[in-house]
Amino acid sequence: MVRIEITTGPEAGRQVDLAAGTHVIGRQADCDLQLSVTSVSGRHLEVRVGADGSVHFQDLGSTNGTHSSGRQVQDGEWFPGSELKLGTAGLRLLDPNQASPAAAPDEDSAMHARARQQAMAGGRRGGPMMLLALVLVVGGAAGGYWYLTRSDAETVATSGGGEGPAVARVNLDWIDNLGDFAAEDAAAAWQVGTGLVIQEGALVCSQASRRAQLARRFTLPGPLSLSAEVRGGAAVLPLVVPLVEWGDDQQEQAIATWMAGDLSQGQVDLALPAEATWFRLSLLLGEGAEVRQLSVTEGTGVVTPAQSDGRPLLSGGGNLLLRHHDGRALVHARAAGGRWQEGAAGLEYDPQGAPRTLTMVLGDAAADAGPMLILGDGGPVEAAPGVVVEGSPGLLLGGGARRFLMRFPAPVKVIARDRQISFEVTQPLLLRWDLSDEINRAARLARQLESASADADAALVLAISAEILRDLPFDEEKTTAALRLARDTIQSARERLRAMTEEKEDARLLEAVGDLAQLEQEARAMAERMAATELHDQALAMADELKEIAELFMDRTQRETAAYRQRLGQALAGAYPLLAAWLDDQGAQLVALEGQH
C-alpha cells in the first residue's frame, strides 16, 4: 500500500491510500480517485501499485497531459517525494517513513474546502467577493494555511507579525502568470515553433504570422481582459492577436476558437458564452513583434445566445458560432474586430471601417451536407489546404438545406488552410442561407445556355457558362453542362485557329493578298468571341500577323507597278515623244482635279 497527497485544488492536503493493483485517476465519478478539477480529463491517469510498493503510472490520452518537473510525461515510475501534475491538479507520492495516517478532513478543513470551491466555481456569481471570504476564513484558522493551485485566481499563504497570523496574497492571473516570459516556467509552458523564441524576458517573432500556444488549458470564471507590452513589428499589420479556444465540461475538445483585438493597441476584452468553462490561449504574432508581461484577468461584456431564422447563434465582436437545430456547429467565424448582426436573409459582418482578416470554418453539421467551396473563374474550387484563389467573388459552404453563400463586395484573394479559409474584408458582407433567387436565376441561365449552344453562338455560350460557373454553381448537373459546353466551344476555336495557321502559310506562299485579308477578318472575329479565354490573345496576334504580311505584299506590288510605269514612260518618250508629252499633260490635269476635290 502507498499513500499520495493532493497538493492543489479544493481537496489540497487530503491523503489517499492506494492498495496493490491498478487504479484510475480522473474527473469521472467511476474513477478510483476522483479529482473535481476542470483541467483533469474524465479518465486521466492509470496508476499501478506493485506488491513491493513500487508505483508506475501511464497517461490515458488526457487533453492537458501529465507533467513531472515541468515536462510532459506519458508513463514511468513514480518515486516517493515526487509530484505529478494532472492538468493543474497536483499529486505527491509520499515517502512511507514520512506519511501521516490518512484521515477524514476535520470541520475546519471541510470549511476551507467548501469556501475555496465556492470561490473558484463562482466566477459568474461574484468571484472576487468569494475569494475575499476565503481569505478571511484562512486568516481566522488556527495558524493553518491553504495553498491554492496556480491555475486559480490567487495563492493565499500565512505570514507572521501582528496579533495572530496575517494573510499575504500572491496574485496570479488567469493563466498562472505564465505570460511573464522572464519566469523560469514560462518557456516550458508555451509551445513555440520555427520563427518564435523566448529570450530576455520576451516572446520574439522573426517570421510573419507565427503562433505560440500555452500547452494547457485554464478554468474560465468569466469574460477575459488581456494586456501586454508589445514592441516592434510591421506598422500596417496587427502585431499580436490573441486566439482563445473555449469549451465546456461535457467534452474534451474545444467548441470554437475566437479572436480578440490587437494587443499592440492596448488592453482588449473578449466576452465568451456562459457555457464556456475553460479556455486555452494562443498568440498570433506578426514579424518583428516582441511580447512581454502578458496578463489575463477578468474583463467585461457578455455573449447572449440568440437565434437567426430559427438557427441558434453566439456572436461577440468579429466572432460567430452558428449552430444547427441539433446543436452541432454549422459555421464558425472569427476576426480581430468588427461586428456580426442580423441582415437581409442572413447575417451581416461589418468590419466597422477597418480592414479585417476574416476566417471562416465549416462546422460538422454543414460539412456533412457539402464541402467548403471558393468561387472563381472556371468554377468553384474546394478549399483544400494550400489552395489560393485570386479574385474570388465569394464562398459556398455546405450543401442542401445547410448551404450558405457569402458574396464579396469586390473580388478578393482567398487562402485555404486546414478546414478554414481566410480573406480580407473592407466592406460589409452577408452570410446568406436563402438562395432561392440565385437558384432560379441559375435555372434560367441553364435554359439560355442550351439555346445558345443550339444556335452555335460561341460568344453567348461562353458568357453564360462563365456566369454559371463563377457565380451560380448550385446545381451539379447544370454546372457540369456549362463546363462541358464551354470546353467544347474553346476546343473548337482552338482547332480552327490551328487550321487558319496552315491557310496563312499557303496564302503567304501564293502571295494571295485577298486570302490573307479574309483570314485576318476571321481571326479578329474569333478574338472577339473568345474575349474571356486564352485564345483571345492568340487570335489577335494571328490577325496582326496576317495584316502585316498582306501589307508587305501590297507595298511590294505598288513599288513594282510604279517601276514598270516609269520604264514604260521612258520607252514611250524615246519612240513617241508627242504621245509621251500628251500622257504627261493628262496626268497633270488629273492630279490637279484630284487636288480641287
Side-chain angles (χ1 to χ4, degrees), residues 34-229:
Q34 183 184 12
L35 298 175
S36 300
V37 179
T38 304
S39 60
V40 175
S41 295
R43 295 172 61 83
H44 195 116
L45 189 74
E46 181 181 89
V47 176
R48 299 184 299 278
V49 180
D52 58 353
S54 63
V55 182
H56 291 79
F57 67 88
Q58 180 173 356
D59 188 274
L60 298 177
S62 64
T63 298
N64 293 311
T66 301
H67 293 76
S68 175
S69 300
R71 296 181 178 273
Q72 187 167 353
V73 292
Q74 289 297 119
D75 54 59
E77 185 172 356
W78 194 359
F79 296 99
S82 63
E83 183 174 333
L84 295 178
K85 294 281 277 187
L86 282 61
T88 59
L91 298 175
R92 180 182 292 112
L93 179 61
L94 298 179
D95 189 314
N97 298 322
Q98 298 178 355
S100 59
D106 57 21
E107 183 177 352
D108 286 342
S109 298
M111 180 174 62
H112 280 70
R114 287 195 304 272
R116 182 181 181 280
Q117 188 172 16
Q118 290 175 5
M120 302 319 301
R124 297 186 180 87
R125 302 185 300 275
M129 293 303 296
M130 294 302 298
L131 285 173
L132 179 59
L134 174 59
V135 170
L136 295 176
V137 170
V138 176
Y145 70 90
W146 284 83
Y147 175 78
L148 306 187
T149 176
R150 287 178 59 86
S151 67
D152 296 326
E154 57 183 33
T155 298
V156 182
T158 59
S159 61
E163 296 183 2
V167 177
R169 285 187 175 185
V170 179
N171 291 322
L172 295 178
D173 70 355
W174 288 3
I175 57 171
D176 296 355
N177 290 348
L178 294 175
D180 179 4
F181 295 102
E184 293 182 1
D185 53 353
W190 287 87
Q191 296 176 346
V192 297
T194 304
L196 287 171
V197 65
I198 296 177
Q199 61 184 16
E200 299 179 357
L203 174 64
V204 182
C205 180
S206 60
Q207 299 181 16
S209 189
R210 296 294 165 176
R211 183 171 176 175
Q213 181 181 52
L214 275 172
R216 60 188 177 92
R217 69 188 195 187
F218 301 86
T219 302
L220 180 65
L224 304 178
S225 178
L226 303 98
S227 61
E229 296 178 12

Side-chain angles (χ1 to χ4, degrees), residues 428-494:
L429 50 79
L430 197 64
L431 179 67
R432 297 178 49 208
W433 44 79
D434 182 1
L435 309 182
S436 54
D437 290 343
E438 282 84 358
I439 292 173
N440 292 334
R441 180 179 159 208
R444 289 195 301 271
L445 286 175
R447 291 192 294 271
Q448 294 175 19
L449 180 61
E450 293 177 0
S451 178
S453 177
D455 294 339
D457 189 337
L460 190 56
V461 166
L462 291 177
I464 296 175
S465 297
E467 187 173 359
I468 292 175
L469 293 172
R470 178 181 173 84
D471 298 325
L472 304 166
F474 304 123
D475 187 302
E476 183 176 356
E477 183 178 347
K478 293 180 176 63
T479 303
T480 302
L483 185 60
R484 176 180 55 79
L485 288 173
R487 287 175 175 173
D488 290 348
T489 300
I490 293 173
Q491 181 60 28
S492 177
R494 186 177 287 114

Side-chain angles (χ1 to χ4, degrees), residues 350-363:
D350 184 358
Q352 296 185 319
R356 311 280 188 187
T357 297
L358 183 63
T359 298
M360 303 291 297
V361 182
L362 194 64

Side-chain angles (χ1 to χ4, degrees), residues 308-309 311 322-325 329-331 345-347 360 362-375 380 394-407 430-443 468 471-479:
S308 181
D309 197 22
R311 294 172 173 82
L322 184 65
R323 285 176 162 141
H324 189 49
H325 305 300
L330 288 166
V331 176
L347 293 170
M360 303 291 297
L362 194 64
D364 292 339
D368 289 347
M372 181 161 51
L373 301 176
I374 305 171
L375 303 184
L395 309 174
L396 191 60
L397 314 174
R402 304 175 194 174
R403 180 166 48 192
F404 302 89
L405 176 66
M406 177 172 278
R407 294 281 190 205
L430 197 64
L431 179 67
R432 297 178 49 208
W433 44 79
D434 182 1
L435 309 182
S436 54
D437 290 343
E438 282 84 358
I439 292 173
N440 292 334
R441 180 179 159 208
I468 292 175
D471 298 325
L472 304 166
F474 304 123
D475 187 302
E476 183 176 356
E477 183 178 347
K478 293 180 176 63
T479 303

Side-chain angles (χ1 to χ4, degrees), residues 514-535:
D515 291 345
L516 290 170
Q518 186 175 354
L519 286 172
E520 179 197 349
Q521 184 178 2
E522 183 179 353
R524 295 196 184 281
M526 178 182 291
E528 187 175 348
R529 291 196 307 273
M530 301 291 116
T533 73
E534 76 279 5
L535 294 181

